[in-house]
Amino acid sequence: TSNGLGGHNVTELQRLELRSSEIRGRLNELAGIDGWTDEQRSENDRLTSEYQEVESRRRAALVTQQESVEQTVPLSDRLDPEGRELRSMLQRAELGRIVHGVVERRASDGVERELQQHYGLGDDSIPLALLTEQRADAQTQAPSDVGAQQHPIIPAIFPMSAAAFLGVDMPTVGVGEAVYTVLADGTSASSPAEGAAVDSVAATLTAHTISPARLQVEHEFSLEDKARLAGMSEALRLNLSNALSSAVDKKVIDGLLLASASGGIGDVTDPTAVATYADYRSSVTDQVDGQYAADGGSIRVLLGADTYQHADSLYRGTATDESALEVMMRLAGGLRVSAHVPAVASTIQQGIAARALGAMHAVCPLWEGVRIIYDPYTKSENGLERLVAVMLYGVDVLRASGFTRLKYKLSAA
């Protein structure tokens, strides 16, 4: 958009930062005035409220712009020399060699061992940085038409990450429990008369201690397949790591949808009538409260596939061809379907709305290192071997008000 700054185009983030600076400047001026008039007191209250809204939108815009920058700027240009060297090591390392070392019961060497030492891992563990995101099959079979012109193996399909979409932070942590401290919402500002005392209010800090839980996936493959199919080791690596990623994603959604007493975001009353166009629309607009969401763009909505299809079948009337799904997509800052959203139960399917994007409302720490266990014995009579991958994770909702549980009744019976 064009503005008054020499006619240059500015981003939404720049506009919000400019407005934030203007508000802070005026609030500082007001703070230096003794004995406010009613107009000045009203202006202070109005600017304070606007500042909170602008800051919320600015943080959301900052996250969006950062995601865009990270997609366009080469990673090597964003790292310091040590980071570039680590990135080079990750690009040269082959996870298959770590797996092969586990199978052969020998220590890793070369760049793979350097990476394990850098992350403080044993010979049987894979750095999380070497893993990607997708899914595994029940058993990998080599195709009958293998040959010299074999194309790259096509990975299995996994649900796209819903945790990142909802703004759930997924930091890598080391040994021990992970602790996150949350500062409760601040108190309201006051404007005392000259010489009047103002009572201080103690900050409320809550520590959330997260203990690791185990995720485990495994793959079976035959000795013949391993010998015949080029790239089998890499395919198994992809599928194992992808299965772990998908399992973590499911645990995050399940954790969010727990009752508040169990650490989730809390429940809402089951709807008694089939969802209408207005219900779908209000499930976005009802999240706008001026504190956690200044507008619909501050909200992301996660739905199940059945709800998505039902919303797409509803219209406001004959005056418009915009479906309930389309109006949700137009109003919200993002809408996505996840296969990990619980299935329809008693005609009702749940969903999740995330608010105040950019703030940490939930966290899913991942403990560094995925341990690989090789088992050639359990199914040896069938000529099958097993690779087991074990990951430690945790899920905790730090601030439930950053999310809202949604429920839609999809049919009368």
Side-chain angles (χ1 to χ4, degrees):
T1 41
S2 177
N3 65 40
L5 300 176
H8 295 294
N9 291 330
V10 297
T11 65
E12 176 68 6
L13 176 60
Q14 291 171 327
R15 186 185 69 79
L16 291 169
E17 288 177 336
L18 176 61
R19 181 56 183 158
S20 178
S21 176
E22 292 173 345
I23 295 173
R24 288 198 304 270
R26 179 53 181 162
L27 286 174
N28 285 334
E29 292 177 2
L30 290 171
I33 298 175
D34 292 332
W36 283 346
T37 64
D38 291 341
E39 291 77 9
Q40 289 169 332
R41 183 173 290 103
S42 176
E43 181 184 10
N44 179 80
D45 294 342
R46 177 178 56 80
L47 288 177
T48 299
S49 177
E50 182 184 355
Y51 180 73
Q52 293 174 345
E53 176 182 345
V54 169
E55 278 298 286
S56 176
R57 296 174 60 187
R58 185 188 67 81
R59 288 192 296 268
L62 182 62
V63 172
T64 301
Q65 177 167 299
Q66 180 64 27
E67 290 176 349
S68 176
V69 168
E70 290 179 351
Q71 293 172 359
T72 57
V73 177
L75 180 60
S76 58
D77 294 341
R78 306 197 303 269
L79 300 175
D80 57 24
E82 182 180 351
R84 286 194 292 270
E85 173 61 23
L86 178 59
R87 179 62 179 174
S88 174
M89 292 170 61
L90 290 169
Q91 290 175 337
R92 289 183 283 119
E94 292 187 15
L95 190 147
R97 287 205 289 259
I98 297 178
V99 173
H100 185 67
V102 174
V103 172
E104 296 295 324
R105 290 178 171 77
R106 59 172 175 79
S108 302
D109 55 17
V111 67
E112 290 80 20
R113 184 55 188 154
E114 290 182 48
L115 283 171
Q116 289 173 328
Q117 292 174 337
H118 174 79
Y119 290 106
L121 302 175
D123 295 327
D124 60 351
S125 295
I126 300 167
L128 285 175
L130 285 179
L131 298 180
T132 57
E133 228 178 3
Q134 287 200 359
R135 181 170 186 175
D137 292 324
Q139 180 176 329
T140 302
Q141 296 287 343
S144 57
D145 54 349
V146 292
Q149 299 303 316
Q150 177 185 320
H151 292 280
I153 295 172
I154 301 172
I157 303 301
F158 266 75
M160 297 178 66
S161 173
F165 174 75
L166 294 173
V168 178
D169 198 34
M170 303 179 74
T172 302
V173 297
V175 177
E177 296 179 321
V179 180
Y180 297 87
T181 303
V182 179
L183 175 63
D185 293 338
T187 57
S188 301
S190 60
S191 54
E194 181 180 358
V198 178
D199 293 333
S200 60
V201 179
T204 302
L205 298 173
T206 304
H208 292 250
T209 302
I210 305 176
S211 300
R214 183 181 65 184
L215 276 179
Q216 181 171 311
V217 297
E218 62 183 65
H219 230 310
E220 295 178 354
F221 58 94
S222 70
L223 296 173
E224 294 85 353
D225 284 346
K226 184 172 67 172
R228 292 176 59 207
L229 181 58
M232 173 67 78
S233 174
E234 181 66 7
L236 290 173
R237 190 275 298 181
L238 280 174
N239 278 315
L240 283 171
S241 61
N242 293 338
L244 287 169
S245 297
S246 181
V248 169
D249 211 44
K250 184 178 188 305
K251 292 296 185 181
V252 169
I253 294 175
D254 290 345
L256 290 174
L257 291 177
L258 289 173
S260 56
S262 300
I265 61 178
D267 206 350
V268 294
T269 304
D270 287 350
T272 57
V274 176
T276 64
Y277 176 98
D279 292 329
Y280 282 111
R281 189 179 194 279
S282 64
S283 64
V284 176
T285 58
D286 284 353
Q287 311 309 318
V288 180
D289 62 354
Q291 179 177 3
Y292 288 93
D295 53 31
S298 304
I299 300 162
R300 288 183 180 177
V301 178
L302 187 72
L303 300 177
D306 292 301
T307 301
Y308 183 95
Q309 295 163 8
H310 184 260
D312 193 44
S313 69
L314 298 177
Y315 295 86
R316 184 174 65 183
T318 58
T320 176
D321 60 357
E322 185 180 52
S323 69
L325 175 64
E326 290 168 328
V327 75
M328 291 179 74
M329 296 174 69
R330 174 169 60 83
L331 293 173
L335 185 148
R336 178 174 294 182
V337 169
S338 172
H340 293 319
V341 171
V344 178
S346 301
T347 72
I348 294 173
Q349 188 167 41
Q350 302 184 74
I352 301 172
R355 310 189 296 174
L357 304 176
M360 185 187 292
H361 298 305
V363 64
C364 176
L366 304 177
W367 273 257
E368 178 60 75
V370 175
R371 186 184 177 199
I372 295 296
I373 302 171
Y374 171 61
D375 175 16
Y377 307 113
T378 302
K379 295 192 175 181
S380 59
E381 71 277 8
N382 298 322
L384 296 177
E385 299 179 348
R386 297 169 64 236
L387 280 180
V388 181
V390 180
M391 171 188 281
L392 299 179
Y393 79 102
V395 177
D396 197 358
V397 177
L398 306 179
R399 188 178 288 110
S401 49
F403 303 93
T404 301
R405 186 193 303 258
L406 306 174
K407 287 186 177 180
Y408 304 96
K409 187 174 177 62
L410 306 185
S411 63

